[in-house]
Amino acid sequence: MRFWKFCCSLKLAIVLATLATFLLMGGSLLFPGNSQLFDQLDQMVLSDWLVSFANRKLVLSWWFYPFLLLMILLLINTACCFIDWAFHLRSRWRKGGEYLIHLGIVLLLSGYILGALGGWRHIALPCTVGTLTPLLNWPGHYLAVDKFKPVIAPSGQPTDMISEVRLLAGEKLLLAGKVQINQPLLKNGLVITPASFGRKPEGFIFRLKGQPVTLKAGSLIQRQDGSRLKVLRFLPDARLGQNGQILYRSQRLGSPALELSFTTSTGRHWQGWYFLTQPPPPILRELQLRPLQPVFINYSSLTINYDPGARLAAAGGILTAIGCLLALVSFYHKRRKQDRPVI
Amino acid sequence: MNNLLFFQLAALSYLLAVLFYLWHFFRPSDLIRKYALGLISGGFLLQTISLVWRWQLAGFLPVTNLFSTLFFFSWALASCYLYFDLRYRIGASGLFVMLLNLLLIGFAIGRDSSLPSLIPSLDTIYFSTHIALSFLGYAFFAMAFSLGGLYLIQARIKSPLLPDLLLLRKLNEEAVFLGFILFTLCMLIGGIWAYEAWGYWFSWNIKGVWSFLVWLFYAGMCHAKFVRRWQGTGYALLSILGFGVVLFTYLGIGLLLESNHPLS
Ligand code: HEM
């Protein structure tokens, strides 16, 4: 009985909240100077951050652990306080508003913990239009952006990013729809929102014996004389390493290169790299290739997160909001009656 | 006509109110006190006209830059004071609250008052509601700060011009409670907005963290009033400290530190 009273104690709540406040105040002042560590907090769920980042920099992150412990104790304290009230509902129903707030907070915090333990995040995942992007945190699942349209204001500022999206489990369609700024796609704790967009080089337009052709990964050109040119890979920025291997440098256009497979009209076969900043390899000379301009493809960066606690948190939020309105009424009622709880 | 003209007139009106309250302090007169209240009401009306005008010009509640938020904060504080004065007749306390209001206005004057176009992610009803609720909450916390300060003064000087200690204590508790309720609703709406915009409802960016701290602090204060030792002077000191946390969250983070919160 004494232990239960301790668990329901208001003074305990004040002590826990005060300690948590001080810890978080002090700890948060480390955020600006240590962005490599703390900027990651929003990039993943909390349990992932604790395991992959906080653990490795305990000098900076130690305070996070007692802070979380205090919040969990406050959660238990608040839950006990609510249960105690519920057992005395008949005499204390007038405090319904206050206690709805308490229950709401319990659900909100529980929802956060559930999401932090069982959820995952992909923040700003670049999804090329027309291809499947695998979700590393959800093996076997893919995101497909079928269409993407940025809306650009006359000033040049983007005002919206509209993506038509499908979420697939292998071949099975789980979710499909349009994603826009402030209009995410939601289902069972999954949320897909637009993050940004861009374009990346995917090949080059060439003049081939005077005729324009587009060469990108997968292009195949079958000529009347029987020769055959196939593009195996396109790298926007590549370099030849010292022992002959190809080094891939970046997604941006730098020193572009094509890996080609070519069969001449006489049946000779060649496979190798053509660096566009240099003349073509001798065997390709008969094609009279002249690079003209790069070809770009749009990609839409989407955020896809899974939060198994989202519904619980939403329920907590609704209860807290209703509780706030009821507590307003009961505050003035208590005022008139001059009552104070027994401490 | 300039949309800020009414704001400037409101500032003048508040300034005159402060002078009238000062006069009332040295030469107590019920008439002067009434004039001062009339000036605050008039100033509030003028500021409301200016706010509605700017809202109409912009097409959204203008709270996207420092000038506009200071403007809104000052308007919310004036409305909060009027609520307390009309309800409880707290008279000369207006001197303290309106001085604070003049400080906010003084900090706003000279800053960029243009109405920039709204960036797409802010173009949602959640944004306006989140900001309006947060500054209404801040206004009540500012009121609690003023009442806390007055409590400490009254405990020393025992002036008949100020409300008695018991009333000041109760008003302080009420300001904290109302501020906490408004700020809780602000946080909930902010959470919905963040979920729609970013895909998660709580962000660990420094502004988000300090908003949570403000909330936790005032949640603690909603309970501290039930502990006998914290009633009165302790509560007044906490209200002053709490407003320090509010000011750091509102101004300190934006001015001193960097954050990826949309408004810092
Ligand atoms: C973060 C968690 C909490 C929040 C946000 C919260 C919020 C509130 C609010 C807004 C009130 C109404 C205050 C008023 O009437 O002025 C209240 C009252 C109260 N809370 Fe909490 N609370 C929390 C945790 C707790 C805990 C852990 C306890 C338990 C020990 C507790 C016990 C009480 C009691 C006894 C009252 C007074 C109800 C009455 O008027 O009789 N609270 N709380």
Side-chain angles (χ1 to χ4, degrees):
Chain A
M1 205 52 203
R2 269 180 65 186
F3 180 66
W4 178 249
K5 280 217 156 143
F6 174 72
C7 291
C8 301
S9 145
L10 181 64
K11 281 187 180 157
L12 176 66
I14 296 178
V15 170
L16 293 173
T18 309
L19 290 176
T21 306
F22 281 134
L23 268 177
L24 188 57
M25 270 182 185
S28 71
L29 296 179
L30 296 169
F31 284 19
N34 300 285
S35 48
Q36 311 98 307
L37 176 62
F38 294 108
D39 279 3
Q40 296 300 322
L41 263 164
D42 281 341
Q43 301 296 311
M44 56 196 77
V45 292
L46 194 59
S47 58
D48 287 347
W49 182 79
L50 291 173
V51 173
S52 3
F53 283 87
N55 251 354
R56 297 191 189 147
K57 274 258 158 94
L58 283 174
V59 196
L60 294 171
S61 63
W62 64 267
W63 59 271
F64 224 96
Y65 296 89
F67 167 72
L68 292 177
L69 180 68
L70 286 167
M71 289 311 292
I72 291 170
L73 291 177
L74 188 62
L75 166 70
I76 297 171
N77 187 192
T78 315
C80 293
C81 185
F82 174 78
I83 294 168
D84 193 56
W85 170 78
F87 276 123
H88 299 90
L89 192 59
R90 203 177 280 200
S91 59
R92 286 158 66 183
W93 64 270
R94 278 200 186 81
K95 309 259 161 82
E98 285 86 334
Y99 284 94
L100 269 191
I101 299 182
H102 292 90
L103 177 62
I105 302 298
V106 168
L107 298 187
L108 263 165
L109 286 176
S110 310
Y112 187 82
I113 294 174
L114 213 61
L117 290 175
W120 46 254
R121 288 183 191 173
H122 288 282
I123 304 287
L125 185 69
C127 302
T128 310
V129 179
T131 62
L132 291 183
T133 307
L135 300 178
L136 295 182
N137 291 325
W138 202 15
H141 291 75
Y142 303 88
L143 206 55
V145 175
D146 296 324
K147 269 194 201 155
F148 172 69
K149 196 174 138 239
V151 182
I152 314 278
S155 63
Q157 260 209 335
T159 56
D160 210 342
M161 305 175 259
I162 309 172
S163 304
E164 276 179 30
V165 176
R166 277 176 305 135
L167 178 65
L168 301 158
E171 309 224 312
K172 201 173 133 222
L173 182 69
L174 291 185
L175 185 61
K178 213 188 261 181
V179 173
Q180 282 178 250
I181 288 185
N182 288 327
Q183 292 180 33
L185 209 51
L186 304 166
K187 193 179 176 184
N188 297 339
L190 277 169
V191 52
I192 309 178
T193 66
S196 66
F197 66 93
R199 52 180 212 159
K200 60 179 183 192
E202 62 159 357
F204 248 78
I205 301 180
F206 287 84
R207 219 175 262 290
L208 190 152
K209 284 213 165 159
Q211 294 296 317
V213 289
T214 301
L215 296 184
K216 53 188 185 187
S219 305
L220 174 67
I221 291 170
Q222 207 114 31
R223 307 200 57 243
Q224 276 173 351
D225 64 2
S227 62
R228 203 165 164 270
L229 178 70
K230 185 160 188 214
V231 182
L232 304 175
R233 272 192 286 175
F234 169 77
L235 296 182
D237 191 10
R239 191 164 61 85
L240 200 57
Q242 271 175 348
N243 33 15
Q245 84 281 31
I246 287 288
L247 303 174
Y248 177 74
R249 289 203 296 203
S250 77
Q251 286 255 26
R252 265 169 293 151
L253 206 58
S255 161
L258 290 163
E259 190 181 16
L260 300 170
S261 148
F262 181 53
T263 312
T264 64
S265 52
T266 58
R268 257 184 72 206
H269 185 76
W270 170 87
Q271 183 174 328
W273 285 91
Y274 165 25
F275 284 86
L276 272 56
T277 48
Q278 292 162 22
I283 194 162
L284 297 179
R285 269 192 206 136
E286 66 175 76
L287 295 174
Q288 296 170 17
L289 280 171
R290 298 272 172 283
L292 295 178
Q293 68 199 62
V295 189
F296 291 92
I297 185 163
N298 284 336
Y299 67 85
S300 160
S301 286
L302 297 173
T303 287
I304 170 164
N305 295 343
Y306 172 61
D307 180 352
R311 282 193 195 168
L312 197 60
I318 293 169
L319 288 185
T320 307
I322 298 172
C324 280
L325 302 179
L326 293 178
L328 271 178
V329 178
S330 85
F331 180 86
Y332 288 103
H333 177 80
K334 276 191 283 182
R335 265 292 155 89
R336 256 177 276 130
K337 298 189 75 182
Q338 304 274 327
D339 65 338
R340 290 217 174 275
V342 185
I343 306 287
Chain B
M1 200 171 16
N2 182 341
N3 66 70
L4 287 177
L5 180 70
F6 287 108
F7 175 51
Q8 286 149 358
L9 288 175
L12 191 67
S13 201
Y14 295 149
L15 179 67
L16 286 175
V18 164
L19 296 177
F20 271 64
Y21 274 135
L22 270 176
W23 186 355
H24 175 58
F25 246 108
F26 293 108
R27 291 264 165 99
S29 142
D30 216 31
L31 195 66
I32 301 284
R33 190 188 57 76
K34 279 189 183 147
Y35 280 151
L37 179 61
L39 279 164
I40 295 176
S41 310
F44 175 69
L45 197 70
L46 289 165
Q47 199 175 0
T48 308
I49 294 173
S50 184
L51 179 67
V52 172
W53 190 352
R54 282 169 63 78
W55 189 338
Q56 222 194 351
L57 279 179
F60 54 88
L61 182 66
V63 278
T64 50
N65 58 16
L66 190 54
F67 174 87
S68 319
T69 53
L70 284 163
F71 180 114
F72 192 80
F73 194 169
S74 137
W75 176 83
L77 184 57
S79 61
C80 176
Y81 173 74
L82 282 174
Y83 163 75
F84 277 98
D85 199 20
L86 294 176
R87 194 180 162 114
Y88 300 104
R89 299 273 161 226
I90 53 175
S93 326
L95 174 63
F96 213 76
V97 183
M98 280 300 135
L99 266 177
L100 183 63
N101 201 349
L102 283 179
L103 271 180
L104 290 176
I105 292 176
F107 201 51
I109 283 174
R111 285 179 194 278
D112 179 13
S113 62
S114 59
L115 292 164
S117 58
L118 200 58
I119 62 166
S121 61
L122 304 187
D123 193 3
T124 147
I125 181 74
Y126 294 132
F127 164 68
S128 328
T129 324
H130 171 66
I131 302 294
L133 285 168
S134 100
F135 282 98
L136 283 167
Y138 283 180
F140 278 96
F141 297 149
M143 189 74 205
F145 161 77
S146 310
L147 290 164
L150 281 172
Y151 184 95
L152 298 180
I153 294 173
Q154 179 69 326
R156 285 193 150 217
I157 65 169
K158 304 214 166 31
S159 160
L161 294 174
L162 291 174
D164 63 40
L165 284 178
L166 184 65
L167 182 59
L168 279 172
R169 192 185 99 191
K170 284 187 139 195
L171 297 185
N172 191 354
E173 290 172 3
E174 184 172 344
V176 166
F177 174 72
L178 292 177
F180 175 77
I181 294 291
L182 289 164
F183 202 70
T184 304
L185 296 173
C186 148
M187 294 284 280
L188 291 175
I189 288 177
I192 301 175
W193 179 30
Y195 193 65
E196 292 211 334
W198 301 330
Y200 45 90
W201 53 269
F202 180 76
S203 163
W204 288 96
N205 72 50
I206 189 127
K207 189 104 180 175
V209 167
W210 277 78
S211 302
F212 175 70
L213 281 168
V214 167
W215 181 82
L216 198 59
F217 186 95
Y218 283 97
M221 278 194 75
C222 282
H223 297 89
K225 69 176 171 219
F226 296 127
V227 182
R228 202 155 299 126
R229 208 179 321 146
W230 282 102
Q231 291 169 356
T233 305
Y235 210 74
L237 288 171
L238 282 180
S239 321
I240 294 171
L241 190 68
F243 193 56
V245 182
V246 167
L247 281 185
F248 182 72
T249 308
Y250 171 39
L251 297 173
I253 289 171
L255 298 178
L256 302 177
L257 310 170
E258 274 178 46
S259 151
N260 67 346
H261 186 276
L263 282 183
S264 56

